[in-house]
Amino acid sequence: MANPFKDLGELQRDIESYLRTNRTAMYNNSKRISDFFEMACYNNIVRFYENNGYEISLRNLKSNKFVYKTTTAGNPANYSYFEVKRKIGNIDLIFEIRHNINVQSYHANDTFTTPDISIIKPNSILIDTTFYTNARRYFYIKNRSLISFCEVKNFNPYPELLFSYIGVVNELRPYLLTQRRFVNNKHIASSLMISGKSNSHTDRIIANLQSRYHINILCDLFNIGGVTFGRNSFRRVKTV
């Protein structure tokens, strides 16, 4: 089985190359390979929207540098994000692609989880000063402000990882756990993005889950991430 852990320098060059096309630079705030893979997946989601006809803008740069939020903690105002915009008639539809934002459960208002990548409604981040016992601020969005989300795992896929992802989908977007028809699809469906290549057993599990649920499970992204989200193949990814 192929090693899922890509050379750190190669992965960083991939990220910096994409940001250079947007006339900015990466603020190097992490040395962990898993963080760099998460950044690369974040950029691939941006590419998906770009290929789907959205106008892409970088927001909240710091000294003209894009600062990734590679931690679940911290004030989102201290980090950069991408804004995507699509025009329908005279109406501009605007969304934000955010990194590590706390999202309220679909089922319970006082329960939260933090997807690695979230597509959200603009200006929807709220502050709660009662979440922690010491009145520290908790930043989150309500479930209705979530458009879609992606989980990123720097592993080879294995059964428990695949099944646990379905639990996150149930918590945030339970209606995706049926195969239903989505009209005017322009957002990526909830996706599990995995660095490593699957084996025959996990291939069967992935095929089974994707046949039952309206989700994407995307493997081997270290090797074929650019192809998966490229102009010639991005339409194979399920949308909502």
Side-chain angles (χ1 to χ4, degrees):
M1 182 174 294
N3 188 339
F5 303 106
K6 192 175 187 179
D7 173 75
L8 182 60
E10 183 181 353
L11 184 56
Q12 183 170 358
R13 287 191 294 274
D14 288 347
I15 296 168
E16 290 175 334
S17 175
Y18 182 75
L19 291 181
R20 276 197 300 272
T21 66
N22 289 278
R23 299 179 183 178
T24 187
M26 181 180 67
Y27 183 76
N28 187 7
N29 59 356
S30 174
K31 292 296 183 184
R32 294 186 300 162
I33 188 68
S34 58
D35 286 346
F36 280 107
F37 176 61
E38 196 172 299
M39 294 175 196
C41 288
Y42 181 96
N43 290 346
N44 277 325
I45 298 303
V46 175
R47 286 192 183 98
F48 174 88
Y49 279 87
E50 190 172 34
N51 289 334
N52 256 306
Y54 282 81
E55 178 184 331
I56 308 297
S57 301
L58 296 106
R59 298 299 185 207
N60 204 32
L61 302 182
K62 304 297 183 181
S63 301
N64 202 39
K65 294 182 179 181
F66 191 95
V67 183
Y68 288 90
K69 189 176 185 293
T70 57
T71 173
T72 57
N75 185 346
N78 295 329
Y79 300 91
S80 308
Y81 64 94
F82 278 88
E83 179 186 272
V84 297
K85 180 170 68 175
R86 181 166 67 99
K87 183 177 287 291
I88 297 183
N90 296 323
I91 300 175
D92 287 330
L93 299 179
I94 300 174
F95 307 95
E96 297 174 2
I97 303 177
R98 291 278 190 166
H99 211 176
N100 284 307
I101 296 295
N102 303 314
V103 181
Q104 184 185 59
S105 167
Y106 181 91
H107 305 282
N109 292 343
D110 60 351
T111 302
F112 302 86
T113 189
T114 312
D116 296 306
I117 302 166
S118 296
I119 298 89
I120 69 175
K121 296 178 181 179
N123 305 311
S124 58
I125 296 176
L126 304 174
I127 301 174
D128 185 352
T129 57
T130 64
F131 184 83
Y132 296 109
T133 56
N134 60 1
R136 183 160 56 98
R137 294 183 299 172
Y138 186 76
F139 301 89
Y140 74 100
I141 64 167
K142 292 185 176 180
N143 189 272
R144 65 172 177 262
S145 297
L146 178 69
I147 304 300
S148 190
F149 72 94
C150 302
E151 291 282 30
V152 178
K153 300 300 179 185
N154 186 35
F155 298 115
N156 287 318
Y158 55 93
E160 292 76 14
L161 171 65
L162 302 173
F163 295 132
S164 65
Y165 165 67
I166 300 303
V168 181
V169 176
N170 179 64
E171 199 61 34
L172 295 181
R173 282 293 174 265
Y175 56 79
L176 295 178
L177 299 183
T178 58
Q179 282 286 11
R180 53 187 286 189
R181 178 179 172 82
F182 290 88
V183 181
N184 195 25
N185 304 350
K186 286 292 184 179
H187 289 288
I188 189 168
S190 177
S191 302
L192 176 59
M193 307 173 74
I194 304 174
S195 63
K197 188 175 180 61
S198 62
N199 59 29
S200 59
H201 183 207
T202 50
D203 277 341
R204 290 194 295 272
I205 295 173
I206 290 168
N208 189 308
L209 294 177
Q210 290 190 130
S211 69
R212 279 189 277 159
Y213 309 135
H214 195 81
I215 58 172
N216 298 298
I217 299 177
L218 307 171
C219 299
D220 200 21
L221 291 185
F222 267 155
N223 294 318
I224 62 170
V227 174
T228 302
F229 291 94
R231 290 185 180 275
N232 297 324
S233 56
F234 76 94
R235 290 183 179 86
R236 300 174 188 170
V237 176
K238 288 182 183 179
T239 56
V240 292

